[in-house]
């Protein structure tokens, strides 16, 4: 087994150890996993691509495990050594930023390290950028050699996508204007590598027996990645000396929009000022002239529209604070923190009372309830209230680290399991749109 494969196995065992019940068994499992992780990281220290391709949940679990090791002074230096190697890859920094509690612990650990603190505080779309860094021929060639050694076309595709993205990140996701140097050539090579990956992905996706796992690789990228890709493509498209790449850049935008909804959302945001690459939606045709017939009788006055309501109950207050739902389509969002360890935590009577009031109020429409797994016991009571007043039950979005562990939902309810707050927001928006239409 090569060093990269060994690292993936070690990450898997580390994640498994963190899911054990608290106690000696979990402590011993994490201790063994930490020791193996140190050895595996040292073995791949010179291969940056070895740290790519892990899910956010797995990266968070590993970082939390290593951070817990740092709480013991005898292990603190070893833990910081591991963390420094992991944070050499920007995807791991973004994983740390996705969990506020974890990020706070890491900042405390590195409170005397200004460089690391600046990395932790960088906005998500800036993480991984290195202003002024020139991606040289050696780095591009190293990634191409790694791609050539891949054992399958699917593995080559994934390495081309991640390698091209990381190389573009080295240019701050902006195509350089450097006619006297070689930066433009290296930046073009980064784009071509990424485009080759998109070409392979589109080929796999159009087969009759297409494997959904091929397209799943796109789900591992975040919106900030797609913003970076769009920024790079737009600046390259506007470069007069790279008109030969216009067809390829349009191909990348077209195919990513076709296969990846999150990229399509970024591309169609309307702020890129590059209509040749991202054409604006055509204006609708003018309505036909009215026929020469008597006007119809006036339409009956429609009742006032109901206000869509989303109730969010979570162990952590930060899950709903600052949510984009508050500024989305006139939604009334009611957030409740349910944490027995906090005196000001909401009681079941409070959040169930808000839910009941929203169901019974004819000017409101309870569309979604976002909650944790422990709140599923209340679904039956909510369904009973809906049935008693003749209202449609809400969609229940349950946030949990392990969707497969959810208990069976009561009959008559629709339950969606998610492991990420952003996915909870997205499902809530979709349901509100569906019901409003």
């Amino acid at each position: 087994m090569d060093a990269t494969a060994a690292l993936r196995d070690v990450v898997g065992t580390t994640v498994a150890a963190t899911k054990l019940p608290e106690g000696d068994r979990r402590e011993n499992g994490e201790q063994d996993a930490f020791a193996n992780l140190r050895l595996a990281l040292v073995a791949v220290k010179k291969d940056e691509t070895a740290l790519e391709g892990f899910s956010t949940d797995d990266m968070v679990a590993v970082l939390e495990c290593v951070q817990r090791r740092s709480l013991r002074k005898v292990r603190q230096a070893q833990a910081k050594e591991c963390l420094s190697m992991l944070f050499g890859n920007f995807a791991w920094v973004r994983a740390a930023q996705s969990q506020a509690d974890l990020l706070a612990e890491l900042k405390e650990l590195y409170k005397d390290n200004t460089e690391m603190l600046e990395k932790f505080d960088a906005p998500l779309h800036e993480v991984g950028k290195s202003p002024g860094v020139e991606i040289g021929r050696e780095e591009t060639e190293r990634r191409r050699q790694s791609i050539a050694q891949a054992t399958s076309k699917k593995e080559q595709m994934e390495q081309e996508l991640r390698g091209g993205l990381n190389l573009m990140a080295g240019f701050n996701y902006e195509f350089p204007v450097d006619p006297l140097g070689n930066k433009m050539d290296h930046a073009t090579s980064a784009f071509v590598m990424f485009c080759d990956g998109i070409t392979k992905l589109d080929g796999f996706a159009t087969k009759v027996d297409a494997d959904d796992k091929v397209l799943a690789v796109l789900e591992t990228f975040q919106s900030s990645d797609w913003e970076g890709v769009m920024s790079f493509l737009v600046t390259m498209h506007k470069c007069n000396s790279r008109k030969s790449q216009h067809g390829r850049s349009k191909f990348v935008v077209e195919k990513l929009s076709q296969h990846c909804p999150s990229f399509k959302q970024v591309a169609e945001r309307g702020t890129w000022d590059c209509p040749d690459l991202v054409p604006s939606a055509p204006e609708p045709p003018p309505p036909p002239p009215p026929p020469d017939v008597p006007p119809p009788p006036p339409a009956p006055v429609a009742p006032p529209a109901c206000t869509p309501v989303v109730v969010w109950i979570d162990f952590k207050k930060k899950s709903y604070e600052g949510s984009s739902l508050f500024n989305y389509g006139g939604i009334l969002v009611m957030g409740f923190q349910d944490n027995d360890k906090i005196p000001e935590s909401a009681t079941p009577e409070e959040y169930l009372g808000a839910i009941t009031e929203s169901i019974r109020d004819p000017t409101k429409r309870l569309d979604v309830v976002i909650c944790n797994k422990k709140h599923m016991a209340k679904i039956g009571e909510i369904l009973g209230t809906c049935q008693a007043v003749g209202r449609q039950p809400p969609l229940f979005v349950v946030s949990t680290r392990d969707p497969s562990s959810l208990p069976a939902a009561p009959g008559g309810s629709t339950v969606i399991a998610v492991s990420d707050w952003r996915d909870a927001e997205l499902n809530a928006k979709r349901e509100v749109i569906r019901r409003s239409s």
Side-chain angles (χ1 to χ4, degrees):
M1 182 184 298
D2 62 23
T4 301
L7 176 62
R8 292 193 174 276
D9 283 348
V10 170
V11 169
T13 57
T14 303
V15 172
T18 63
K19 294 180 180 179
L20 293 173
E22 291 189 13
D24 292 342
R25 185 181 175 193
R26 173 171 156 181
E27 174 67 20
N28 293 335
E30 288 193 356
Q31 184 172 335
D32 292 341
F34 174 67
N36 293 330
L37 181 65
R38 288 185 61 218
L39 297 175
L41 287 173
V42 171
V44 299
K45 193 172 183 179
K46 295 183 179 180
D47 183 5
E48 182 182 338
T49 60
L51 292 173
E52 298 171 358
F54 296 101
S55 70
T56 300
D57 286 346
D58 286 354
M59 289 189 286
V60 167
V62 170
L63 292 173
E64 288 178 340
C65 175
V66 178
Q67 185 274 325
R68 283 193 287 270
R69 297 299 98 194
S70 72
L71 298 178
R72 298 188 175 186
K73 289 187 177 181
V74 294
R75 299 291 185 192
Q76 190 172 100
Q78 296 175 348
K80 292 177 76 171
E81 178 188 16
C82 284
L83 291 170
S84 296
M85 286 188 281
L86 291 172
F87 291 140
N89 184 286
F90 69 88
W92 290 79
V93 180
R94 288 189 309 189
Q97 290 180 326
S98 71
Q99 298 292 327
D101 291 345
L102 171 62
L103 187 62
E105 296 289 350
L106 292 171
K107 286 184 176 180
E108 177 63 23
L109 179 62
Y110 283 97
K111 61 184 179 182
D112 297 324
N113 189 324
T114 304
E115 180 181 355
M116 193 66 76
L117 291 176
E118 290 177 352
K119 183 178 291 189
F120 290 149
D121 289 332
L124 278 176
H125 68 280
E126 294 288 337
V127 175
K129 298 182 178 183
S130 303
V133 172
E134 175 185 348
I135 303 301
R137 188 187 305 273
E138 292 183 2
E139 174 66 7
T140 305
E141 187 59 30
R142 182 181 68 78
R143 290 191 178 273
R144 291 204 175 277
Q145 290 176 0
S146 177
I147 292 169
Q149 294 171 0
T151 57
S152 68
K153 287 188 176 181
K154 290 181 181 178
E155 186 179 346
Q156 286 182 354
M157 171 200 73
E158 186 168 353
Q159 290 195 19
E160 285 171 341
L161 291 175
R162 297 191 183 283
L165 179 70
N166 284 339
L167 290 171
M168 288 188 283
F171 291 99
N172 290 350
Y173 292 119
E174 293 183 4
F175 193 82
V177 179
D178 180 35
L180 300 181
N182 56 10
K183 291 182 180 179
M184 297 173 72
D185 292 336
H186 296 324
T188 302
S189 296
F191 164 70
V192 170
M193 182 183 297
F194 187 80
C195 182
D196 288 345
I198 296 297
T199 302
K200 288 185 177 67
L201 181 137
D202 184 60
F204 286 127
T206 53
K207 290 182 179 179
V208 176
D209 57 345
D211 185 354
D212 290 340
K213 293 182 179 179
V214 173
L215 295 180
V217 67
L218 297 178
E219 298 176 3
T220 64
F221 293 93
Q222 302 182 17
S223 294
S224 55
D225 294 324
W226 299 138
E227 290 174 3
V229 170
M230 277 302 303
S231 176
F232 188 93
L233 294 179
V234 168
T235 52
M236 184 179 72
H237 207 77
K238 293 181 177 180
C239 181
N240 292 330
S241 63
R242 287 300 182 269
K243 290 184 178 180
S244 61
Q245 301 297 331
H246 283 192
R248 283 185 169 185
S249 57
K250 290 181 179 180
F251 171 82
V252 168
V253 172
E254 175 189 350
K255 294 304 178 183
L256 275 177
S257 297
Q258 177 182 340
H259 299 306
C260 183
S262 60
F263 174 85
K264 184 178 180 181
Q265 185 177 12
V266 171
E268 294 180 349
R269 196 167 55 194
T271 58
W272 298 111
D273 189 27
C274 190
D276 185 44
L277 181 63
V278 188
S280 303
E283 292 291 333
D292 189 14
V293 295
V301 178
C306 295
T307 300
V309 177
V310 175
V311 175
W312 195 324
I313 314 162
D314 201 283
F315 179 79
K316 296 182 178 180
K317 200 172 185 179
K318 64 184 178 183
S319 64
Y320 54 84
E321 283 189 338
S323 169
S324 60
L325 289 172
F326 285 94
N327 301 311
Y328 188 84
I331 300 175
L332 172 60
V333 182
M334 292 186 280
F336 298 91
Q337 183 180 19
D338 185 8
N339 184 347
D340 295 334
K341 298 179 180 180
I342 298 178
E344 61 269 24
S345 174
T347 64
E349 289 77 16
E350 290 177 314
Y351 57 75
L352 286 176
I355 290 174
T356 300
E357 187 271 336
S358 298
I359 294 173
R360 294 183 179 277
D361 189 343
T363 67
K364 296 177 182 177
R365 187 186 71 226
L366 180 63
D367 288 352
V368 183
V369 173
I370 304 174
C371 59
N372 299 141
K373 182 168 66 175
K374 78 170 190 176
H375 302 117
M376 289 187 66
K378 306 296 184 182
I379 291 180
E381 183 176 344
I382 297 172
L383 293 178
T385 304
C386 292
Q387 185 176 7
V389 298
R391 299 295 294 270
Q392 181 182 1
L395 169 70
F396 295 91
V397 180
V398 181
S399 177
T400 175
R401 281 202 172 191
D402 184 10
S404 63
S405 68
L406 287 186
S413 64
T414 303
V415 177
I416 296 177
V418 299
S419 59
D420 186 280
W421 296 333
R422 289 185 294 272
D423 289 341
E425 285 186 347
L426 181 59
N427 279 284
K429 290 177 181 178
R430 287 174 176 169
E431 186 65 9
V432 170
I433 292 172
R434 187 184 70 82
R435 297 194 182 201
S436 297
S437 62

